[in-house]
């Protein structure tokens, strides 16, 4: 196996995690990863050899993700809205281990895509501000404000869902 | 210690490992003097941990073969599968039952020249997609019927053949919308239709290079059935829980329009 391809293969688990945090369903996330890998193969020359392919791959995937989000918002879909409580409960259970993870997942989906991507790159994927800003193609200051707003939004959404949970317990 | 002022921004920087070491002591002193900020730091740190742990398991999941193949630039592998013998008898009985209503499905089991495993696979994938997505209320489709042109262009490009959504309103079915799905090593388009009573049927179309054949496929017991065709580089299945003769009628109309659309 070509060394460069082997290095790309070893990044697949992290690309899948990033995609899963960006998108709602597992198949859709894996489709995004597949699109990313296919595009990466056609642009192997853009990857500076000797460097980890991670940042390069994440950059490719981010562009694909943003394209997809633009199409969704042009079509006026409601993909960004938080799910109703009953629908959240109907989400496939095997995909997210427990109720707490499901709440996190739902809350994350409700955050605007730009903020979601910034927060996920730094908080989950552990990129530095400089690396994340580079992947997203924005200045560091923009990245920082997306993270700050994203965290604040996440906090509010998690508070909402724990309030809803409390109401459900009281009602039942 | 630096004498600078701290703000909420420093909480984020500290959490993300971006606070310079020389600011650390001043930052901690600032937190200690500001219980509000201290509480905020604790909360953000807890949320960040919850976020990490919610997705930690993904790294341990086995990587789907299609992704490894995509990274290596390999062609998808066709998995050989055997059709159980009981299936032949069940399918033969079904075909006899519907032969009168939809003559086009007749005698598909006679020749034996077609690729059984490809047929099984197409029908099973179509049924699986129907079971999963037709049950969804708000997330059944990716592109709604209101955006028909975009949907047709997008799905046609993705599956690699010209796809025109059949009009099934004569049968009482209106298009809900469509979505893109993985199908073996290929991509498939799924179009979902609904009648006035809320019954849903789906049309599953994929590019399937080799096999030929047609028939009706049912998984054991209750549940939706698939009427399918494999021909000249594409495969198509209509899935629903309608009575077989009605499903066959609707499927025939869908099929005719699909063919007409492909060459239009």
């Amino acid at each position: 196996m070509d060394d460069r391809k082997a290095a790309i293969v070893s990044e697949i688990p992290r690309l899948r995690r990033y995609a899963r945090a960006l998108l709602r369903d597992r198949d859709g996330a894996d489709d995004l990863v597949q699109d990313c890998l296919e595009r990466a193969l056609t642009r192997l020359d853009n990857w500076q050899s000797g460097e980890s392919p991670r940042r390069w791959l994440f950059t490719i995937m981010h562009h694909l993700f943003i394209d997809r989000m633009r199409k969704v918002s042009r079509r006026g879909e409601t993909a960004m809205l938080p799910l109703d409580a009953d629908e959240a409960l109907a989400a496939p259970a095997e995909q997210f281990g427990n109720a707490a993870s499901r709440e996190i997942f739902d809350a994350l989906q409700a955050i605007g895509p730009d903020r979601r991507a910034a927060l996920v790159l730094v908080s989950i994927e552990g990129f530095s501000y400089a690396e994340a800003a580079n992947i997203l193609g924005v200045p560091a200051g923009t990245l920082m404000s997306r993270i700050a707003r994203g965290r604040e939004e996440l906090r509010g959404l998690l508070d909402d869902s724990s309030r809803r949970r409390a109401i459900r317990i009281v009602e039942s | 210690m630096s004498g600078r002022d701290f703000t909420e921004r420093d909480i984020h920087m500290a959490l993300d490992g971006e606070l310079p070491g020389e600011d650390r002591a001043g930052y901690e002193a600032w937190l200690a003097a500001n219980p509000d900020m201290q509480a905020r730091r604790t909360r953000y740190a807890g949320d960040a941990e919850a976020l990490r742990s919610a997705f930690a398991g993904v790294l341990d999941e086995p990587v789907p073969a299609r992704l490894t193949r995509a990274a290596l630039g390999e062609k998808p592998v066709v998995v050989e599968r055997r059709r159980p013998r009981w299936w032949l008898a069940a399918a033969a009985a079904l075909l006899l039952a519907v032969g009168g209503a939809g003559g086009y499905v007749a005698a598909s089991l006679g020749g034996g020249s077609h690729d059984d495993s490809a047929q099984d696979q197409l029908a099973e994938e179509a049924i699986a997609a129907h079971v999963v997505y037709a049950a969804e209320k708000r997330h059944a489709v990716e592109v709604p019927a209101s955006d028909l042109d975009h949907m047709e262009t997008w799905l046609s490009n993705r599956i690699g053949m010209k796809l025109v959504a059949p009009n099934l309103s004569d049968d009482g079915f209106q298009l809900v919308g469509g979505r893109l799905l993985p199908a073996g090593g290929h991509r498939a388009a799924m179009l979902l239709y609904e009648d006035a009573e809320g019954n849903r049927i789906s049309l599953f179309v994929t590019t399937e290079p080799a096999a030929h054949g047609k028939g009706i496929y049912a998984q054991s017991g209750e549940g939706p059935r698939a009427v399918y065709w494999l021909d000249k580089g594409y495969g198509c299945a209509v899935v629903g829980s309608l009575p077989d003769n009605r499903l066959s009628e609707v499927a025939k109309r869908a099929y005719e329009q699909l063919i007409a659309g492909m060459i239009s």
Side-chain angles (χ1 to χ4, degrees), chain A residues 55-97:
Chain A
R55 222 173 58 197
W56 174 64
L57 288 168
F58 271 74
T59 305
I60 293 173
M61 197 155 80
H62 181 71
H63 286 142
L64 292 167
F65 169 67
I66 289 301
D67 283 352
R68 189 184 286 205
M69 288 297 111
R70 286 208 185 104
K71 282 175 192 148
V72 166
S73 62
R74 259 208 307 276
R75 294 198 303 265
E77 283 184 11
T78 54
M80 297 303 122
L81 294 179
L83 290 185
D84 296 338
D86 55 339
E87 265 185 285
L89 290 174
E94 97 286 353
Q95 206 161 338
F96 319 107

Side-chain angles (χ1 to χ4, degrees), chain B:
Chain B
M1 189 208 289
S2 64
R4 75 178 180 92
D5 292 333
F6 290 91
T7 66
E8 203 177 320
R9 177 187 159 101
D10 294 293
I11 296 178
H12 297 289
M13 292 182 70
L15 271 178
D16 298 326
E18 299 278 341
L19 193 69
E22 71 263 23
D23 288 347
R24 200 82 218 180
Y27 168 70
E28 292 297 338
W30 173 73
L31 281 183
N34 291 279
D36 283 2
M37 291 295 119
Q38 178 77 268
R40 184 150 295 212
R41 191 267 299 261
T42 306
R43 171 59 194 260
Y44 283 155
D47 286 353
E49 186 46 45
L51 205 52
R52 270 191 294 275
S53 72
F55 291 96
V58 180
L59 294 187
D60 299 326
E61 288 176 10
V63 170
R66 66 168 168 131
L67 298 184
T68 311
R69 287 198 300 265
L72 297 176
E74 289 171 1
K75 293 271 180 244
V77 176
V78 176
V79 180
E80 288 293 331
R81 304 209 291 88
R82 289 176 61 84
R83 188 208 302 252
R85 302 305 300 174
W86 62 262
W87 189 93
L88 290 171
L94 266 172
L95 285 170
L96 286 175
V98 302
Y104 64 102
V105 293
S108 83
L109 295 169
S113 60
H114 47 260
D115 181 338
D116 289 354
S117 70
Q119 294 187 8
D120 274 8
Q121 194 175 332
L122 173 75
E124 284 168 8
E125 283 166 351
I127 289 174
H130 183 82
V131 167
V132 170
Y133 291 112
E136 291 282 331
K137 286 202 166 58
R138 277 175 50 190
H139 301 283
V141 297
E142 286 175 304
V143 187
S146 55
D147 207 354
L148 182 65
D149 289 349
H150 168 76
M151 184 193 77
E152 287 177 339
T153 310
W154 172 58
L155 289 176
S156 297
N157 289 340
R158 285 310 189 94
I159 66 173
M161 61 173 267
K162 187 169 178 201
L163 179 66
V164 176
N167 180 342
L168 302 178
S169 53
D170 286 352
D171 295 291
F173 283 94
Q174 303 297 330
L175 182 66
V176 178
R179 64 162 60 238
L180 184 68
L181 293 169
H186 305 266
R187 293 159 191 247
M190 177 184 172
L191 304 178
L192 188 70
Y193 293 80
E194 189 173 57
D195 71 7
E197 281 118 54
N199 297 313
R200 285 178 162 185
I201 58 171
S202 56
L203 184 58
F204 187 89
V205 184
T206 184
T207 45
E208 183 69 52
H212 289 257
K214 57 190 175 180
I216 287 196
Y217 182 95
Q219 283 168 336
S220 57
E222 296 298 304
R225 300 171 187 282
V227 177
Y228 65 84
W229 303 262
L230 287 168
D231 196 14
K232 303 186 198 84
Y234 62 89
C236 161
V238 176
V239 187
S241 297
L242 306 176
D244 280 336
N245 56 355
R246 184 145 149 68
L247 185 65
S248 297
E249 284 168 22
V250 177
K252 184 178 182 209
R253 236 177 305 270
Y255 182 62
E256 287 166 354
Q257 292 185 50
L258 265 185
I259 299 295
M262 274 167 62
I263 57 177
S264 65

